[in-house]
Amino acid sequence: MDFEMRWETQFIELQAFQKRLGHCDVSSLSKTNAVLGRWAKTQRDQRLQGILNEERIGLFGKSEGRERRLKMNAGNAKEQAPF
């Protein structure tokens, strides 16, 4: 399976997770969703580093129905993880 297909498969799994639980905050330490959790963490990290492409950022925005928000916590920008 190529990279794009794996990415799309994980995104579909994230949407299913959101439908079941009402949020996209999959823990990277999850025992039941370990692969999805690590993938979601990678997407969050890439977003914060500015390397997640705009198309994918838009897909996450649509899946959440809102834009990502930043909040300040102890002087560090922390992201509220919608995915």
Side-chain angles (χ1 to χ4, degrees):
M1 186 180 316
D2 73 355
F3 176 79
E4 290 298 319
M5 187 174 271
R6 284 191 312 239
W7 194 94
E8 289 176 19
T9 299
Q10 290 294 90
F11 184 70
I12 290 167
E13 286 186 35
L14 181 66
Q15 289 177 314
F17 178 93
Q18 180 192 26
K19 192 170 189 171
R20 280 192 320 274
L21 300 176
H23 64 83
C24 293
D25 191 17
V26 186
S27 170
S28 62
L29 303 175
S30 172
K31 292 182 181 181
T32 57
N33 295 298
V35 172
L36 182 60
R38 285 190 302 272
W39 179 83
K41 181 182 182 329
T42 298
Q43 304 314 300
R44 289 190 292 265
D45 291 347
Q46 288 181 353
R47 171 64 172 101
L48 287 173
Q49 295 166 9
I51 58 177
L52 188 63
N53 74 43
E54 292 297 319
E55 180 182 353
R56 290 182 176 164
I57 292 169
L59 287 172
F60 283 111
K62 288 180 185 176
S63 93
E64 275 298 296
R66 61 181 165 82
E67 293 296 316
R68 303 174 70 74
R69 295 190 307 253
L70 295 177
K71 68 178 184 178
M72 299 304 286
N73 184 1
N76 296 320
K78 292 244 174 167
E79 177 180 13
Q80 292 180 339
F83 61 86

